[in-house]
Amino acid sequence: MTATSSAKRQILVTSALPYANGPIHLGHMLEYIQTDIWVRFQKLRGHECHYVCADDAHGTPIMLKAQQLGITPEEMIAQVNIDHQSDFKDFGVKFDNFHSTHSDENRELSEMIYNRLNDKGYISTKTIEQLFDPEKEMFLPDRFVTGDCPTCKSPDQNGDNCDNCGATYSPVDLINPRSVVSGATPVLKESEHYFFELPKFEAMLKEWTRSGSLQEEMANKLAEWFEDGLRNWDISRDAPYFGFNIPGTTDKFFYVWLDAPIGYIGSFKNLCDKNPEIDFDTFWKKDSTAELYHFIGKDIIYFHSLFWPAMLEGADLRKPTSVYAHGFVTVNGAKMSKSKGTFIKARTYLEHLNPEYLRYYYGAKLTSRIDDLDLNLEDFAQRVNSDMVGKVINIASRCAGFITKKFDGKLAPTISEQALMDEFISVQDEIADCYEKREFSKAVRQIMALADKANQYIADKEPWQLVKDESKLDEVQNVCSVGINLFKVLITYLKPIVPSLAEQVEAFLNIELTWDSVNHPLTDHSINKFKAMMQRVDMKQVEAMIEDSKDNLQPAAAAPVLDPNSPLAKDPISPEISFEDFAKIDLRVARIAKADHVKGANKLLRLELDLGGQNFQVFAGIKSAYQPEDIEGKLTVMVANLAPRKMRFGMSEGMVLAAGPGGEELWILNPDDGAQPGMRIK
């Protein structure tokens, strides 16, 4: 369906469900703002478009956090739901329905889909061995087990990967394993698990992933799964677990990733129950002609583009029309950081800055690709001030005063510059096509180019000079009326991005801005007195926001008395080494000549390091924080005289130095640009 089509479409849109164990931050907001812009555009065009979402409210982390807070999971997710909805509302994200996966609708739909899959032979069971916490009496997911690396013996490593040497392993291979939940030593225990037989859908998935429903980058990435061969998907978890029981069981629960996407359907069902004029089956029956779009982050592509469409196919429901993935948000060119104050919560931002600033900045940078988006805070301030305040709003502020003071707020009876007006109207379909294809940045560039033309027109006509001559007042009214009408067109084009500003403009112009209204200039029309609509971004506000986002990292005045159950009490710091021992470590600057994914490894990248004529192969556990293309050509620091270690994927001939708490917050040590490969670090 093209953007210029006049046929009314039926569209259902979702954003990924935010997890209900913490607040929304500016990284999250990218997706919701992107989706909201696209939905608002569809509604502005007159289509039937429903935007639904929900909190993802199940899983072990939520159960454990509620225990820490001394409340029930239900109490915790209820409060988080209120907080999330407040943040979204204040950022202008307008859901038609925001629900929770812990709902009657989601329970019923999850059971229905499971039963249909089971009846068709797509569910099987298998007994597996897992680590079990004997104190908490619960099976432990990989990330809830730590211990000494079985390869390099480094302490406090994750359950499946060593951050020190990059080795990958099973949690059962850890030396001195410990439960993160209780600190107890876990034991092996058998349990029967339920599996969704994904390989049975391989032919369908190969065709669907190449049907145009996915971005090309996504389809190419998913091809790796087919090369390795699809495997049955474990969809069950053992009690205790916060979630829904699998039908016919009392101690088995749906894995959170099974019922989470079903939450899209559950939220829409809740909307339909409240609005009987919306027909549920029209959007979800297998042969539906309605459109279904999922907006997601690139980190959850597999769930939405393999497991989810296979579940829907097996349950005789419709598959998505398209799944649109976006990249991550960086701030000032780096990963969001709590210590630097760039890990910014949505509420912290709202306490300091206008949400329309961020909506505009994200809109001005978003494309249809899966590229990461950098929120450069200086550029953010300059672009908002230059584009929105200095260009767009400036048009109205230069013209409105003359219309109010000299012509009782009445615009001219005709448009004196029809050719200029037609030029602004003529790009309407092109801008619509940009919105439809999620090329928001391209749309914004076109709109700002028009704003430049409008400002140049007003500057050339100089109404502030014309008004000094009583005989030229008609010309003043004509010039300023053209300016106001050009402003009206620009704000209509920008309405999906800055809806709050558009509301102010509608009050100022005494009209509702619709997509069709672009073709109908205002003549002999009364407008209201112009009021300031958007203030310039003050960098002092930005700096205050960053300061309020920083973690308090001040060191304690004295070492605390250790709790006997603390990790340090149970695992003391290793014995001191001498300076002579430390001096043996040869730290060298290396250039990352090449970086590749490691087939079959969840956290490793294979690096080819150039020390200035000599190359080393190193496997580094930094995949959670970097894509290969992001680090090729960069300088880093490596331990050059570490004995080579044979790993499952090949020989690792050194170690890259990195720091951080893990996950996305993991930074390779990056020397000054003046450093050269091979240079010793002293």
Side-chain angles (χ1 to χ4, degrees):
M1 187 74 68
T2 63
T4 56
S5 173
S6 59
K8 187 171 182 178
R9 299 155 60 186
Q10 292 179 303
I11 307 170
L12 176 57
V13 184
T14 75
S15 295
L17 311 185
Y19 203 46
N21 71 337
I24 302 298
H25 57 68
L26 297 195
H28 295 133
M29 286 310 308
L30 174 70
E31 179 172 309
Y32 301 100
I33 289 173
Q34 180 190 36
T35 316
D36 186 72
I37 290 172
W38 197 80
V39 167
R40 286 180 181 272
F41 163 72
Q42 301 297 347
K43 292 183 176 182
L44 188 62
R45 299 268 289 164
H47 299 305
E48 179 189 347
C49 185
H50 308 288
Y51 180 21
V52 301
C53 196
D55 271 334
D56 184 0
H58 289 155
T60 302
I62 283 176
M63 178 184 73
L64 295 177
K65 184 168 183 179
Q67 289 177 5
Q68 292 172 358
L69 296 173
I71 58 178
T72 66
E74 289 84 357
E75 290 171 326
M76 188 183 85
I77 63 175
Q79 182 56 55
V80 170
N81 189 275
I82 293 171
D83 294 341
H84 283 180
Q85 290 203 55
S86 176
D87 289 344
F88 291 135
K89 180 177 181 292
D90 290 348
F91 264 101
V93 176
K94 192 174 183 180
F95 299 108
D96 291 288
N97 199 56
F98 190 90
H99 205 35
S100 169
T101 59
H102 192 64
S103 66
D104 291 339
E105 295 92 348
N106 203 41
R107 182 193 303 273
E108 293 166 5
L109 287 161
S110 296
E111 291 177 353
M112 179 197 77
I113 289 174
Y114 170 83
N115 286 332
R116 287 185 180 182
L117 296 175
N118 191 35
D119 291 344
K120 292 184 177 183
Y122 297 134
I123 304 295
S124 60
T125 60
K126 178 183 177 182
T127 298
I128 64 173
E129 279 192 329
Q130 290 178 282
L131 289 178
F132 183 81
D133 186 323
E135 290 188 13
K136 283 288 186 178
E137 296 186 339
M138 62 179 288
F139 286 96
L140 296 167
D142 292 356
R143 61 173 165 161
F144 286 98
V145 184
T146 61
D148 302 345
C149 172
T151 302
C152 71
K153 310 303 186 290
S154 296
D156 294 324
Q157 296 305 310
N158 297 324
D160 58 354
N161 173 267
C162 177
D163 290 334
N164 186 42
C165 72
T168 59
Y169 40 75
S170 167
V172 300
D173 296 328
L174 282 170
I175 302 169
N176 300 320
R178 294 178 299 281
S179 166
V180 173
V181 182
S182 69
T185 300
V187 297
L188 273 177
K189 188 175 180 179
E190 289 187 342
S191 174
E192 184 181 51
H193 273 233
Y194 290 69
F195 290 82
F196 173 52
E197 298 190 353
L198 187 65
K200 292 183 177 179
F201 296 88
E202 183 168 340
M204 179 277 291
L205 289 170
K206 281 184 175 179
E207 180 181 353
W208 183 77
T209 56
R210 292 295 185 183
S211 67
S213 293
L214 306 178
Q215 293 137 296
E216 187 175 357
E217 307 103 299
M218 287 175 62
N220 292 338
K221 187 66 180 174
L222 290 171
E224 297 175 8
W225 280 61
F226 297 120
E227 291 173 6
D228 294 340
L230 299 181
R231 300 174 185 174
N232 288 352
W233 178 38
D234 189 344
I235 61 168
S236 65
R237 293 297 183 265
D238 293 278
Y241 191 81
F242 184 60
F244 296 144
N245 277 109
I246 293 177
T249 74
T250 57
D251 60 349
K252 304 291 181 182
F253 294 81
F254 288 129
Y255 174 41
V256 61
W257 263 109
L258 182 128
D259 71 72
I262 297 173
Y264 299 141
I265 312 179
S267 184
F268 184 67
K269 180 67 165 57
N270 181 255
L271 175 67
C272 293
D273 290 344
K274 293 184 288 189
N275 299 273
E277 69 277 9
I278 306 173
D279 182 57
F280 178 85
D281 288 337
T282 296
F283 289 85
W284 285 104
K285 63 185 178 182
K286 194 174 183 68
D287 58 350
S288 171
T289 58
E291 301 167 53
L292 170 63
Y293 300 96
H294 298 310
F295 285 74
I296 62 167
K298 64 182 180 181
D299 54 331
I300 54 175
I301 286 173
Y302 304 131
F303 291 104
H304 283 79
S305 304
L306 290 176
F307 306 152
W308 178 230
M311 286 168 54
L312 292 169
E313 177 76 8
D316 291 325
L317 296 171
R318 60 89 42 79
K319 295 186 290 293
T321 306
S322 291
V323 178
Y324 296 138
H326 59 81
F328 298 138
V329 171
T330 58
V331 180
N332 293 338
K335 302 289 183 181
M336 295 172 68
S337 165
K338 292 181 179 179
S339 61
K340 293 179 181 178
T342 56
F343 189 93
I344 304 166
K345 297 177 184 176
R347 185 51 51 184
T348 306
Y349 175 99
L350 291 165
E351 290 169 353
H352 294 276
L353 294 166
N354 183 340
E356 300 261 292
Y357 297 160
L358 190 70
R359 288 184 65 102
Y360 176 73
Y361 190 74
Y362 279 171
K365 299 194 75 173
L366 275 164
T367 71
S368 63
R369 299 185 300 276
I370 315 179
D371 302 330
D372 290 348
L373 186 151
D374 185 47
L375 172 56
N376 181 293
L377 293 171
E378 287 192 6
D379 179 59
F380 161 78
Q382 292 169 2
R383 184 172 296 201
V384 171
N385 291 343
S386 171
D387 290 359
M388 291 306 302
V389 181
K391 292 182 181 180
V392 176
I393 295 174
N394 189 51
I395 298 168
S397 66
R398 297 170 90 184
C399 298
F402 296 115
I403 297 294
T404 301
K405 294 175 184 176
K406 295 294 183 179
F407 309 103
D408 296 324
K410 185 69 70 76
L411 298 176
T414 59
I415 296 296
S416 60
E417 300 285 348
Q418 191 61 50
L420 180 60
M421 198 75 213
D422 289 344
E423 183 180 353
F424 276 53
I425 295 171
S426 68
V427 297
Q428 183 181 23
D429 286 346
E430 191 175 346
I431 289 174
D433 194 56
C434 291
Y435 273 122
E436 180 69 36
K437 295 176 178 176
R438 306 173 330 283
E439 294 289 352
F440 301 160
S441 63
K442 185 177 179 181
V444 168
R445 286 196 300 273
Q446 290 179 288
I447 294 166
M448 290 306 145
L450 293 175
D452 286 334
K453 290 184 178 181
N455 277 295
Q456 188 60 54
Y457 165 75
I458 297 165
D460 290 344
K461 294 296 184 179
E462 297 183 310
W464 48 88
Q465 295 294 342
L466 295 174
V467 78
K468 297 175 182 178
D469 186 342
E470 288 290 326
S471 67
K472 295 183 177 179
L473 287 183
D474 284 349
E475 188 175 353
V476 172
Q477 187 181 26
N478 286 333
V479 169
C480 292
S481 295
V482 168
I484 293 296
N485 271 285
L486 298 179
F487 173 70
K488 165 184 165 285
V489 172
L490 295 176
I491 294 297
T492 304
Y493 290 156
L494 286 168
K495 187 175 180 180
I497 298 176
V498 282
S500 179
L501 174 64
E503 286 183 11
Q504 295 179 66
V505 173
E506 288 173 333
F508 162 58
L509 296 178
N510 282 322
I511 60 163
E512 179 185 0
L513 299 174
T514 65
W515 199 255
D516 185 58
S517 70
V518 166
N519 301 296
H520 304 287
L522 300 177
T523 54
D524 200 26
H525 177 84
S526 293
I527 63 174
N528 292 316
K529 185 177 180 180
F530 178 82
K531 298 178 182 178
M533 294 179 176
M534 184 178 284
Q535 303 299 322
R536 293 174 62 83
V537 180
D538 187 339
M539 281 305 294
K540 290 181 179 178
Q541 294 172 295
V542 175
E543 291 161 4
M545 174 184 70
I546 293 172
E547 193 62 33
D548 284 356
S549 299
K550 288 181 180 178
D551 274 356
N552 184 1
L553 301 179
Q554 295 299 318
V561 176
L562 289 179
D563 184 296
N565 293 317
S566 74
L568 271 180
K570 297 183 177 183
D571 184 20
I573 294 173
S574 300
E576 290 181 351
I577 62 172
S578 68
F579 179 81
E580 287 74 23
D581 290 331
F582 179 75
K584 294 176 183 177
I585 301 173
D586 192 349
L587 301 179
R588 298 277 178 156
V589 175
R591 184 179 303 281
I592 303 174
K594 187 173 177 57
D596 297 304
H597 291 290
V598 179
K599 190 173 182 179
N602 294 327
K603 298 188 178 181
L604 291 180
L605 294 181
R606 189 189 74 85
L607 308 180
E608 290 182 17
L609 302 180
D610 175 15
L611 263 70
Q614 185 176 2
N615 283 12
F616 291 75
Q617 174 175 272
V618 171
F619 291 92
I622 58 174
K623 186 174 179 179
S624 63
Y626 297 98
Q627 291 297 312
E629 60 269 23
D630 295 336
I631 56 175
E632 286 189 353
K634 287 188 176 181
L635 297 178
T636 187
V637 177
M638 72 171 290
V639 179
N641 63 336
L642 187 68
R645 182 180 298 276
K646 176 73 170 141
M647 299 178 66
R648 180 158 63 96
F649 308 99
M651 189 69 72
S652 188
E653 301 171 304
M655 181 184 295
V656 170
L657 301 191
E664 295 176 23
E665 291 197 27
L666 183 66
W667 300 277
I668 56 172
L669 299 190
N670 194 9
D672 294 336
D673 291 339
Q676 296 294 322
M679 183 181 295
R680 185 189 295 271
I681 303 294
K682 296 182 179 179

